[in-house]
């Protein structure tokens, strides 16, 4: 029997790329999504890329009845849980909305998983749980700092809830802590679809290059870094997608060493904002208009991953460099005009 993999938020940015990778690796996938930050057409685009049918249900995870009803008709071997709100600034303005969505949604999902004896669970976490780490690169043992935003707190709480869930019910859980996901599928059929003015650097860069935004603001050039701008670890979204499939396979094969495991997913290399701009211009042969402005509240100076554990335990290696990732981001942006 070929049991299914449930992907929540499977029409969203990282979810959709992971669904492609799962289908291309022979998994039968079922997606649930509430379309709160995604578009229904992504469903067709995924099918177009993989040339396979994709089962999809419009379900809001906050709706416990709908979640229970869904599970009662399914035979699921594992869950990859992406569905969550993720805008840092919005979470400061609407904390309760973030807690309700990210925490209640997770609880409804876990209760159903417990009742249906679903054994394997992958959770979308973030390097935001580390805050400004004292040591770089950041490994999985780095202490968690008090999160700067309700969004960050929902990721920390989500991890704690999952740790207890795995311990008490003897379930297998892997939390994946992403650094900064960027880029789009090489076909340019799916990619990041920010609603309104983008918060994140890369969609703002591509929209500026496309003339949708007048110019990019570089938030601060007085950080203690090599050129004064902040450092992040930009990881290609298809490399991330592959890591999800490898983490899932580890659980399905019973190769996990503990019930609850954590992996950092990043390239291991930090880039400054100015280096990202240069790489984008070089990769795409376009000029980017930008100005230096004040620092953005809540931003940290530098974060990049120690990826040793993911390499050793998952056998995962990021394969796509910054320029190539930025090329796919631009190819995708050009399809949106
Ligand atoms: N930046 C700019 N101009 C912009 C947007 C961003 O200069 O218009 C800079 C930021 O100051 C930062 C870097 O580009 O130095 C990256 O910013 P992003 O907003 O793209 O990413 P963050 O690192 O701030 O946020 C990401 C995720 C969050 C997560 C956080 C954890 O998007 O979900 O990492 O650090 F919480």
């Amino acid at each position: 029997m070929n049991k299914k993999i449930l992907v929540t938020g499977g029409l969203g940015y990282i979810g959709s790329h992971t669904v492609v990778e799962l289908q291309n690796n022979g998994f039968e996938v079922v997606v649930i999504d509430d379309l709160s930050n995604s578009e229904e057409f992504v469903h067709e685009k995924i099918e177009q890329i993989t040339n396979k049918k994709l089962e999809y249900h419009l379900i809001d995870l906050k709706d416990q009845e709908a979640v229970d009803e869904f599970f009662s008709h399914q035979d699921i071997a594992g869950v990859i849980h992406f569905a969550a709100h993720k805008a840092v600034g919005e979470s400061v303005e609407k904390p309760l909305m973030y807690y309700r969505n990210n925490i209640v949604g997770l609880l409804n999902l876990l209760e159903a998983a417990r009742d249906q004896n679903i054994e394997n669970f992958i959770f979308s976490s973030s390097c935001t749980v580390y805050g400004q780490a004292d040591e770089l690169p950041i490994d999985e043992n780095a202490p968690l700092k008090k999160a700067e935003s309700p969004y960050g707190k929902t990721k920390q709480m989500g991890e704690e809830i999952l740790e207890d869930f795995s311990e008490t019910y003897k379930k297998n859980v892997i939390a994946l802590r992403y650094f900064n996901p960027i880029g789009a599928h090489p076909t340019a059929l799916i990619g990041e679809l920010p609603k309104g003015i983008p918060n994140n650097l890369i969609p703002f860069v591509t929209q500026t290059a496309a003339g949708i935004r007048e110019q990019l603001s570089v938030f601060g050039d007085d950080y203690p870094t090599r050129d004064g701008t902040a450092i992040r670890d930009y990881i290609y979204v298809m490399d991330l997608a592959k890591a999800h499939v490898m983490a899932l396979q580890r659980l399905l094969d019973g190769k996990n060493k503990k019930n609850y495991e954590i992996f950092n997913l990043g390239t291991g290399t930090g880039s400054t904002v100015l280096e990202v701009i240069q790489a984008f211009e070089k990769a795409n042969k376009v000029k980017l208009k930008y100005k230096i402005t004040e620092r953005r509240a809540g931003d940290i100076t530098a974060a990049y991953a120690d990826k040793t554990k993911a390499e050793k335990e998952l056998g995962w290696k990021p394969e796509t460099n910054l320029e190539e990732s930025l090329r796919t981001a631009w190819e995708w942006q050009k399809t949106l005009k």
Side-chain angles (χ1 to χ4, degrees), residues 283-332:
N284 298 307
K285 301 184 178 54
V286 291
K287 264 294 192 216
L288 208 61
K289 228 176 131 191
Y290 70 89
K291 61 169 187 230
I292 309 289
T293 63
E294 292 292 291
R295 290 183 181 193
R296 181 172 67 179
D299 272 353
I300 56 171
T301 301
Y304 50 94
D306 182 330
K307 62 179 187 331
T308 313
K309 188 178 174 197
E311 276 178 348
K312 237 174 90 191
E313 296 288 329
L314 294 179
W316 175 77
K317 237 190 166 67
E319 285 162 1
T320 308
N321 67 23
L322 181 62
E323 273 184 36
E324 178 57 17
S325 308
L326 292 171
R327 200 190 58 72
T328 66
W330 179 231
E331 289 306 314
W332 164 244

Side-chain angles (χ1 to χ4, degrees), residues 31-319:
V31 163
I32 64 179
D33 201 297
D34 69 355
L35 301 179
S36 60
N37 192 29
S38 57
E39 301 289 341
E40 205 148 18
F41 74 79
V42 172
H43 179 224
E44 283 160 48
K45 300 290 181 185
I46 295 172
E47 289 184 336
Q48 207 178 321
I49 294 171
T50 64
N51 205 18
K52 295 200 176 98
K53 276 272 155 221
L54 175 63
E55 184 181 346
Y56 153 65
H57 301 264
L58 176 61
I59 293 175
D60 181 342
L61 285 177
K62 297 192 289 303
D63 182 347
Q64 187 165 21
E65 252 177 60
V67 172
D68 290 345
E69 158 72 14
F70 166 81
F71 276 96
S72 69
H73 301 294
Q74 296 282 344
D75 193 7
I76 286 168
V79 178
I80 307 184
H81 178 48
F82 293 103
H85 292 333
K86 60 166 188 178
V88 176
E90 184 186 47
S91 79
V92 176
E93 283 159 32
K94 300 175 182 166
L96 299 182
M97 182 178 106
Y98 269 67
Y99 290 121
R100 173 164 292 278
N101 190 69
N102 293 6
I103 303 297
V104 173
L106 175 64
L107 292 175
N108 286 343
L109 187 63
L110 292 181
E111 280 169 354
R114 176 199 58 195
D115 296 345
Q116 299 290 330
N117 300 316
I118 296 169
E119 302 302 325
N120 305 305
F121 217 89
I122 311 282
F123 180 60
S124 212
S125 191
S126 165
C127 68
T128 196
V129 301
Y130 298 116
Q132 179 58 71
D134 298 324
E135 280 175 47
L136 294 168
I138 304 170
D139 71 27
E140 290 82 353
N141 296 318
L144 304 193
K145 298 273 177 72
K146 188 172 157 50
E148 290 269 355
S149 68
Y151 159 75
K153 286 178 192 158
T154 67
K155 290 296 172 194
Q156 291 183 338
M157 287 175 196
E159 287 195 7
E160 290 188 15
I161 291 167
L162 279 159
E163 190 171 5
D164 290 343
F165 168 80
S166 71
E167 233 175 79
T168 302
Y169 303 112
K170 302 284 169 272
K171 303 293 189 191
N172 304 310
V173 177
I174 292 180
L176 297 175
R177 292 177 177 161
Y178 319 143
F179 283 68
N180 290 55
I182 62 163
H185 193 267
T187 59
L189 288 168
I190 55 171
E192 196 170 1
L193 276 171
K195 283 199 171 146
I197 301 172
N199 297 305
N200 294 116
L201 178 61
I202 304 313
F204 209 105
V205 163
T206 60
Q207 288 194 8
T208 305
I212 301 167
R213 309 283 155 209
E214 222 219 301
Q215 67 179 342
L216 170 74
S217 296
V218 174
F219 297 143
D221 68 349
D222 57 350
Y223 285 102
T225 62
R226 46 191 176 262
D227 62 23
T229 63
I231 292 178
R232 297 289 183 275
D233 183 338
Y234 297 91
I235 174 78
Y236 182 48
V237 66
M238 288 308 296
D239 281 330
L240 269 190
K242 285 180 185 146
H244 287 77
V245 177
M246 288 170 158
L248 177 73
Q249 199 61 58
R250 175 179 176 88
L251 297 185
L252 295 173
D253 294 345
K255 294 211 169 118
N256 48 321
K257 300 207 166 125
K258 290 190 281 181
N259 280 111
Y260 180 71
E261 295 182 315
I262 295 169
F263 294 99
N264 282 345
L265 298 178
T267 64
T269 303
S271 305
T272 69
V273 179
L274 292 178
E275 286 164 355
V276 170
I277 293 171
Q278 282 155 14
F280 182 84
E281 290 183 331
K282 185 161 171 237
N284 298 307
K285 301 184 178 54
V286 291
K287 264 294 192 216
L288 208 61
K289 228 176 131 191
Y290 70 89
K291 61 169 187 230
I292 309 289
T293 63
E294 292 292 291
R295 290 183 181 193
R296 181 172 67 179
D299 272 353
I300 56 171
T301 301
Y304 50 94
D306 182 330
K307 62 179 187 331
T308 313
K309 188 178 174 197
E311 276 178 348
K312 237 174 90 191
E313 296 288 329
L314 294 179
W316 175 77
K317 237 190 166 67
E319 285 162 1

